[in-house]
Amino acid sequence: MTHRYVRTDFWEDDKVQSNATPEDKYFMLYLLTNPHTNQLGCYKVSKRLMSYETGYNLDTIDKLLNRMRQLNFAEYDDTTTEILILNWYKYNWTRSETIKTYIIKNFEDVKSEILRKKINDMIRYIYGIDTSFNLIYFNNNKYNTTNNNINNNSNNIYSKFEEKFGRTISPLEYETIAKMVSEYSLEFVEKALSEAVSRKAYSLVYINKILNNWKKENLKTIEEVDEYIKKFNSKKQNNDDELDFLT
């Protein structure tokens, strides 16, 4: 039996709390947990089948699908009867080779060109893979990894976090790291990671505090950061919280 999990913060999401009607919420939960779902978050389900399984008539199903588009929750392609849950990847994709294999396999079955393009962007964002080429070659390690379709720098920083943290990072952590890099630069994020781990602080929140502090101090280069850390280390007082001097 396949299990689908719904995170408790589903109920705290702004579009659920503020904009979703009771019917919207019920339909969202149906789309997240019905037996046609897969690891990709894009699957084939006809409106007639949705009507049968939820108890809503076809007119109501049409209205609910329009609501899902308005709420930016899901996209439905009438021509192929396929639906894509837009934020599925944030909560269900990891760098696990098993999960990646399922995602690639499911992607190959998607017929909708509209949905394939959206999924391609998601896969490229999480894995650094451009699915416009045949993913079967990538999955079988036949693809040349020097190809420009693979963002080696981006993959490298994620690998460093996993190495330092000693675990696989989640899709939400991927997104946080990507935002850090775009705001502060790859060099600064790597330096902040190193500083945090040296103090046994395996936390993206703490790393982000370090980066924010460096920004407030108007530090522009790694050399300036090194000098800043050196000065604070020399002035560090006996304090119960040894992490405060950086944050």
Side-chain angles (χ1 to χ4, degrees):
M1 178 180 294
T2 301
H3 296 273
R4 296 290 178 222
Y5 300 98
V6 178
R7 294 167 56 100
T8 56
D9 57 8
F10 166 84
W11 301 102
E12 298 172 347
D13 188 284
D14 285 342
K15 60 176 168 285
V16 174
Q17 281 191 338
S18 304
N19 301 316
T21 66
E23 288 78 13
D24 292 334
K25 295 173 185 177
Y26 168 60
F27 196 58
M28 286 174 176
L29 290 173
Y30 164 73
L31 294 178
L32 291 172
T33 60
N34 72 69
H36 317 292
T37 59
N38 57 26
Q39 194 64 52
L40 182 64
C42 182
Y43 54 90
K44 187 177 181 65
V45 57
S46 69
K47 291 180 180 179
R48 189 169 297 279
L49 187 54
M50 284 189 273
S51 173
Y52 173 77
E53 291 177 337
T54 62
Y56 287 128
N57 61 40
L58 288 173
D59 285 342
T60 302
I61 293 295
D62 272 328
K63 291 175 182 177
L64 285 168
L65 287 172
N66 284 331
R67 286 285 297 157
M68 296 303 102
R69 292 190 188 98
Q70 292 169 10
L71 293 170
N72 199 36
F73 183 82
E75 287 285 345
Y76 188 75
D77 190 328
D78 286 281
T79 59
T80 62
T81 67
E82 291 171 309
I83 195 161
L84 170 64
I85 310 302
L86 295 174
N87 286 329
W88 180 277
Y89 72 100
K90 291 184 179 180
Y91 306 103
N92 294 279
W93 294 8
T94 71
R95 292 194 69 185
S96 159
E97 288 301 319
T98 301
I99 298 299
K100 189 193 298 183
T101 299
Y102 278 119
I103 289 169
I104 290 170
K105 182 178 182 298
N106 293 153
F107 178 81
E108 289 298 303
D109 295 330
V110 176
K111 301 296 187 294
S112 168
E113 288 302 319
I114 296 171
L115 300 185
R116 282 178 70 88
K117 184 179 184 306
K118 290 180 180 293
I119 299 166
N120 178 70
D121 293 339
M122 296 172 187
I123 292 179
R124 185 166 49 197
Y125 175 70
I126 294 294
Y127 296 114
I129 309 168
D130 188 341
T131 52
S132 60
F133 65 90
N134 190 343
L135 283 174
I136 297 299
Y137 288 105
F138 177 87
N139 196 40
N140 292 332
N141 296 318
K142 295 178 181 178
Y143 187 72
N144 181 358
T145 56
T146 61
N147 188 290
N148 289 333
N149 286 322
I150 296 181
N151 187 334
N152 290 318
N153 288 333
S154 191
N155 285 338
N156 188 43
I157 188 62
Y158 300 137
S159 298
K160 285 184 178 179
F161 269 87
E162 290 185 329
E163 179 186 346
K164 298 293 186 181
F165 282 14
R167 62 175 175 79
T168 301
I169 58 177
S170 71
L172 283 177
E173 288 174 318
Y174 266 79
E175 185 174 1
T176 300
I177 294 166
K179 287 180 179 177
M180 287 180 183
V181 172
S182 66
E183 184 173 354
Y184 298 105
S185 87
L186 189 62
E187 271 191 321
F188 268 49
V189 172
E190 288 179 346
K191 186 68 175 178
L193 170 63
S194 177
E195 289 302 311
V197 170
S198 71
R199 289 160 181 81
K200 303 188 185 309
Y202 304 96
S203 162
L204 291 184
V205 172
Y206 181 68
I207 291 170
N208 202 47
K209 284 182 179 179
I210 293 176
L211 292 166
N212 280 332
N213 189 57
W214 292 349
K215 184 177 181 180
K216 288 177 184 176
E217 294 294 328
N218 200 31
L219 304 179
K220 302 294 186 182
T221 67
I222 292 298
E223 289 75 20
E224 290 175 346
V225 168
D226 287 336
E227 185 63 25
Y228 175 78
I229 293 171
K230 184 179 178 181
K231 286 180 180 178
F232 269 94
N233 277 333
S234 66
K235 295 178 181 178
K236 187 171 60 171
Q237 300 174 349
N238 292 328
N239 192 309
D240 289 337
D241 187 357
E242 292 184 354
L243 300 179
D244 285 346
F245 85 100
L246 276 177
T247 60

